[in-house]
């Protein structure tokens, strides 16, 4: 499996999913997707999610614990931030405890390596689960948030509850949220409310769409479900691509089938 094979032009998907973008994956996306596949952090099969939906794929960032993998992950996060247009200017990369802590620290280091002129003064920050009542005290570790432009970094957005809690904390500490970045955007609608049929055809926003509209900030992702489908097609893994297409057709969000990086 090579990066070149993933960046080869993709064929237009037929039928109901004609709006897939047939353009090739960018080099950093292709490299990250290859890493996900070879490390089995991205698997295809049958997986029951917390929502009860049966997904044809499963993405587990908790497996990015080896040095080479966290380097690949932080590089992909950094490239996504660097290449976003218009330029996303920020002072602090905030990683909500606990998963966000290594993501913030590793990505700040990678940003400074790739573009030292722009990012050498950017800080990382994360929260304590319990406020410290001695020493400097408080709930924030790392760069302070008062008067700072803040980007939240995390693995995914599921229901959006954790992101809203992080946003509330940032605001209480005097920071201004200017963006959010995650590893994967599943591009699927929120589960139905209790007592309703989750498999109905009623349009609903995705969790990311809700956050984007509620707070008016860009929500970036390294990869989207659309990227996964395109990558699988370019690798000749038609069955995996078709399974993901069918899943997306069933659960696609109303906030847009295709969300391009750079859109607010």
């Amino acid at each position: 499996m090579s990066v070149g094979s993933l960046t080869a032009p993709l064929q237009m998907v037929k039928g109901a999913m004609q709006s897939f973008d047939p353009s090739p994956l960018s080099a950093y996306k292709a490299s990250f997707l290859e890493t996900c596949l070879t490390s089995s952090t991205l698997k295809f099969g049958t997986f029951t999610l917390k929502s009860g939906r049966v997904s044809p794929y499963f993405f587990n960032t908790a497996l990015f614990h080896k040095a080479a993998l966290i380097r690949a992950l932080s590089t992909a996060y950094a490239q996504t931030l660097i290449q976003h247009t218009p330029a996303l200017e920020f002072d602090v990369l905030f990683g909500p405890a606990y998963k966000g802590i290594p993501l913030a620290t590793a990505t700040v280091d990678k940003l400074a390596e790739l573009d030292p002129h722009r990012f050498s003064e950017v800080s990382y920050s994360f929260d304590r689960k319990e406020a410290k009542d001695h020493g400097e005290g408080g709930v924030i570790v790392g760069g302070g948030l008062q008067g700072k432009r803040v980007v939240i970094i995390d693995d995914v957005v599921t229901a959006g509850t954790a992101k809203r809690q992080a946003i509330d904390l940032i605001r209480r500490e005097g920071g201004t949220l200017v963006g959010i970045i995650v590893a994967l955007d599943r591009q699927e609608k929120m589960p139905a409310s209790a007592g309703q049929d989750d498999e109905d055809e009623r349009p609903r926003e995705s969790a990311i769409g809700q956050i984007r509209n509620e707070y008016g900030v860009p929500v970036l992702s390294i990869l989207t479900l659309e990227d996964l489908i395109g990558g699988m097609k370019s690798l000749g893994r038609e069955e995996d691509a078709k399974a993901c297409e069918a899943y997306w057709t069933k659960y696609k969000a109303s906030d847009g089938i295709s969300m391009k990086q750079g859109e607010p």
Side-chain angles (χ1 to χ4, degrees):
M1 183 188 307
S2 67
V3 171
S5 64
L6 285 169
T7 55
L10 308 178
Q11 295 182 346
M12 179 69 77
V13 179
K14 304 293 185 181
M17 305 308 290
Q18 288 182 1
S19 50
F20 281 173
D21 183 0
S23 62
L25 293 180
S26 61
Y28 81 88
K29 284 176 176 277
S31 177
F32 181 64
L33 179 54
E34 182 176 15
T35 298
C36 292
L37 292 169
T38 56
S39 64
S40 295
T41 53
L42 174 64
K43 296 181 180 180
F44 291 87
T46 302
F47 306 93
T48 301
L49 306 179
K50 185 177 181 180
S51 64
R53 293 175 182 171
V54 178
S55 173
Y57 70 98
F58 187 69
F59 181 67
N60 186 5
T61 55
L63 297 179
F64 281 93
H65 50 76
K66 293 184 179 179
L69 294 180
I70 192 65
R71 186 183 305 121
L73 180 59
S74 63
T75 298
Y77 273 123
Q79 290 286 8
T80 304
L81 289 165
I82 289 170
Q83 296 190 27
H84 182 267
T85 53
L88 187 58
E89 301 299 337
F90 58 97
D91 308 299
V92 178
L93 194 59
F94 180 83
Y98 289 103
K99 281 188 178 180
I101 296 173
L103 302 181
T105 54
T107 301
V108 161
D109 177 65
K110 183 57 67 173
L111 283 167
E113 176 187 327
L114 295 176
D115 191 344
H117 176 73
R118 183 177 170 195
F119 294 108
S120 287
E121 296 301 313
V122 171
S123 299
Y124 73 83
S125 183
F126 59 89
D127 58 314
R128 305 178 194 272
K129 287 294 186 180
E130 296 181 1
K132 187 176 179 182
D133 59 4
H134 60 280
E136 72 276 14
V139 296
I140 298 298
V141 179
L145 305 182
Q146 179 67 43
K148 303 298 184 182
R149 300 165 296 178
V150 183
V151 169
I152 295 173
I153 184 169
D154 215 337
D155 55 349
V156 295
V157 175
T158 304
T161 304
K163 303 303 173 292
R164 289 179 174 87
Q165 291 172 345
I167 293 168
D168 288 345
L169 173 60
I170 289 166
R171 288 177 169 178
R172 288 199 306 271
E173 293 292 323
T176 300
L177 180 74
V178 297
I180 299 171
I181 183 169
V182 296
L184 177 67
D185 179 357
R186 294 180 63 90
Q187 296 181 298
E188 64 183 79
K189 63 184 179 180
M190 291 286 291
S193 301
Q196 295 183 344
D197 182 8
D198 189 46
E199 298 190 6
D200 62 26
E201 296 182 357
R202 296 176 184 176
R204 291 190 295 276
E205 287 183 306
S206 68
I208 281 181
Q210 287 185 346
I211 293 290
R212 182 185 288 117
N213 291 332
E214 184 175 345
Y215 294 99
V217 298
V219 183
L220 289 62
S221 64
I222 301 171
L223 293 173
T224 64
L225 177 55
E226 183 177 7
D227 292 330
L228 300 189
I229 293 169
M232 293 307 96
K233 282 187 164 290
S234 71
L235 292 171
R237 295 176 55 164
E238 292 293 333
E239 291 304 313
D240 291 333
K242 288 178 180 177
C244 289
E245 286 175 20
Y247 183 84
W248 201 15
T249 300
K250 189 173 185 179
Y251 295 116
K252 66 183 178 231
S254 62
D255 44 289
I257 289 179
S258 176
M259 294 300 298
K260 300 302 174 192
Q261 296 297 332
E263 292 183 357

